[in-house]
Amino acid sequence: MMHFLIQSANFWLAIEVIIFAIIFVPTMIAFITGAPWVPTPMARVERMLELAKLKPGDKIYDIGCGDGRLPHLGAKLWEADAVGLELSPLVYAWAR
């Protein structure tokens, strides 16, 4: 009877480890690589900035700015003070 309980405990431990791996591994991959980066087309970026009705000196903050196209274009065309924040080191390195 005791032998059966030990085997049963090992079985459930193995199940727990498998479930942990199924959840933990993809979570860590997403944490390291971040969400997939999909750049916004330039025409849409321009349209967003037009809809914002920016004036020179207005502030733009773009969290998750990717390659920085929105803050760059806002600063260049509308003379806005722009700040882009990107947390993904891969996207940041590629944008540089």
Side-chain angles (χ1 to χ4, degrees):
M1 182 71 171
M2 189 65 158
H3 183 68
F4 174 73
L5 291 175
I6 292 172
Q7 287 179 341
S8 179
N10 288 339
F11 173 76
W12 289 111
L13 178 63
I15 295 296
E16 288 177 10
V17 168
I18 291 169
I19 291 172
F20 177 76
I22 288 171
I23 294 171
F24 182 74
V25 171
T27 301
M28 288 311 299
I29 291 170
F31 179 73
I32 293 168
T33 62
W37 177 63
V38 180
T40 306
M42 287 304 287
R44 288 191 183 163
V45 172
E46 291 175 9
R47 182 69 178 140
M48 286 189 287
L49 292 170
E50 288 170 6
L51 289 172
K53 298 179 183 173
L54 294 173
K55 297 180 283 300
D58 282 353
K59 295 194 185 313
I60 300 172
Y61 292 96
D62 187 7
I63 300 172
C65 67
D67 63 357
R69 58 183 61 195
L70 189 137
H72 177 75
L73 197 60
K76 184 177 175 184
L77 299 180
W78 280 270
E79 298 176 2
D81 295 329
V83 175
L85 301 171
E86 180 55 57
L87 297 178
S88 172
L90 298 174
V91 175
Y92 175 78
W94 185 53
R96 302 266 308 139

